[in-house]
């Protein structure tokens, strides 16, 4: 095969499983930004971000030989990073609740802001649950589109190996699927019209 930087994702994963250090380094290089962006959504301290990042790559070392579809690796990394961040926050009591779609940290509420903060945290949980119901490639597209700083369509096209012209239409279809997930539909049925508008406002942030 050619130089490691020319390998496709499948070749990189296969070579990494066989212990190829150069392939592993290239695999990490290609996905380091994706992991870092996912971690930043939890607003951890910089030193904590490094700890979580190391845990994520350790999990990949432990699991890489069991990844049957290398194309699913980016989605696996996003899910694993999110889970490690959640564990880290629970264990250490650090981090700020963040809406992953708007990437706005929820400020510490005063008395009059308490109810709104609870609603925002609930929307945050519903959207996370809804994203978990999406196919890995669709979930990854949403993650990349809502990154901070945002990825360009050219970057997303390269990372996901899809035509630039298909990103916008695919985004719209994925957002419709997100609204139809069990998590989101259950939330809307249980909370009524006013809360429906709340969730619609948050989902609309993705379409800007």
């Amino acid at each position: 095969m050619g130089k490691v930087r020319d390998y496709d994702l499948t070749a990189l994963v296969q070579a990494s499983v066989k212990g190829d250090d150069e392939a592993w380094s290239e695999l990490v290089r290609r996905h380091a930004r994706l992991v870092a962006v996912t971690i930043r959504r939890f607003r951890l301290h910089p030193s904590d971000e490094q700890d979580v990042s190391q845990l994520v790559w350790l999990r990949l070392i432990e699991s890489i030989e069991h990844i049957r579809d290398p194309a699913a690796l980016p989605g696996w990394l996003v899910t694993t990073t999110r889970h490690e961040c959640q564990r880290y926050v629970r264990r250490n009591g650090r981090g700020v609740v963040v809406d992953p779609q708007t990437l706005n940290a929820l400020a510490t509420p005063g008395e009059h802001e308490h109810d709104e903060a609870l609603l925002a945290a609930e929307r945050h949980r519903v959207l996370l649950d809804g994203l978990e119901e999406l196919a890995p490639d669709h979930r990854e597209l949403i993650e990349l589109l809502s990154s901070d700083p945002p990825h360009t369509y050219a970057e997303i096209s390269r990372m996901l190996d899809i035509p630039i012209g298909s990103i916008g239409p695919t985004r719209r279809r994925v957002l419709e699927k997100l609204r139809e997930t069990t998590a989101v539909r259950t939330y809307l049925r249980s909370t009524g019209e006013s809360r429906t508008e709340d969730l619609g406002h948050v989902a609309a942030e993705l379409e800007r």
Side-chain angles (χ1 to χ4, degrees):
M1 300 181 71
K3 294 180 179 179
V4 168
R5 290 213 172 193
D6 296 330
Y7 285 11
D8 61 18
L9 186 53
T10 298
L12 279 178
V13 170
Q14 291 174 344
S16 296
V17 169
K18 295 177 181 178
D20 187 323
D21 290 340
E22 289 188 17
W24 170 258
S25 295
E26 177 63 13
L27 196 66
V28 173
R29 186 191 70 80
R30 290 189 190 182
H31 296 89
R33 179 177 173 81
L34 179 61
V35 170
V37 165
T38 304
I39 292 173
R40 281 204 299 272
R41 294 172 186 173
F42 287 80
R43 299 299 193 266
L44 301 177
H45 187 276
S47 62
D48 296 335
E49 290 183 357
Q50 184 63 32
D51 288 343
V52 172
S53 179
Q54 291 174 352
L55 280 172
V56 171
W57 296 118
L58 176 60
R59 297 288 180 261
L60 181 56
I61 290 173
E62 296 170 341
S63 306
I64 193 168
E65 63 182 290
H66 304 297
I67 295 178
R68 297 180 179 179
D69 180 10
L73 177 61
W76 184 96
L77 282 171
V78 168
T79 299
T80 300
T81 302
R82 186 186 302 124
H83 288 168
E84 290 300 331
C85 285
Q86 291 168 343
R87 291 191 190 100
Y88 201 90
V89 169
R90 286 196 299 268
R91 186 167 61 247
N92 297 281
R94 299 180 181 181
V96 178
V97 177
V98 175
D99 185 327
Q101 310 309 317
T102 61
L103 299 176
N104 291 322
L106 297 176
T108 301
E111 290 292 330
H112 66 287
E113 297 173 318
H114 183 68
D115 288 344
E116 180 57 33
L118 288 177
L119 292 179
E122 186 177 8
R123 291 197 300 268
H124 168 76
R125 182 69 262 165
V126 169
L127 288 168
L128 282 181
D129 289 344
L131 286 170
E132 289 293 338
E133 295 182 43
L134 299 178
D137 56 334
H138 289 169
R139 185 165 59 245
E140 184 187 4
L141 176 62
I142 294 300
E143 296 281 356
L144 293 176
L145 285 168
S146 58
S147 64
D148 180 21
H151 290 284
T152 66
Y153 272 25
E155 290 174 329
I156 293 174
S157 173
R158 184 174 64 253
M159 295 171 74
L160 300 185
D161 192 25
I162 59 177
I164 291 178
S166 72
I167 294 175
T170 301
R171 177 192 61 178
R172 288 190 291 274
R173 290 195 298 271
V174 173
L175 288 174
E176 288 302 320
K177 290 183 178 181
L178 178 61
R179 294 188 181 96
E180 293 302 315
T181 59
T182 299
V184 172
R185 294 184 66 172
T186 299
Y187 174 86
L188 296 181
R189 284 198 301 268
S190 66
T191 55
E193 184 176 353
S194 62
R195 299 282 287 284
T196 298
E197 293 173 354
D198 268 345
L199 187 61
H201 174 72
V202 174
E205 294 292 331
L206 286 169
E207 297 178 327
R208 292 183 178 181

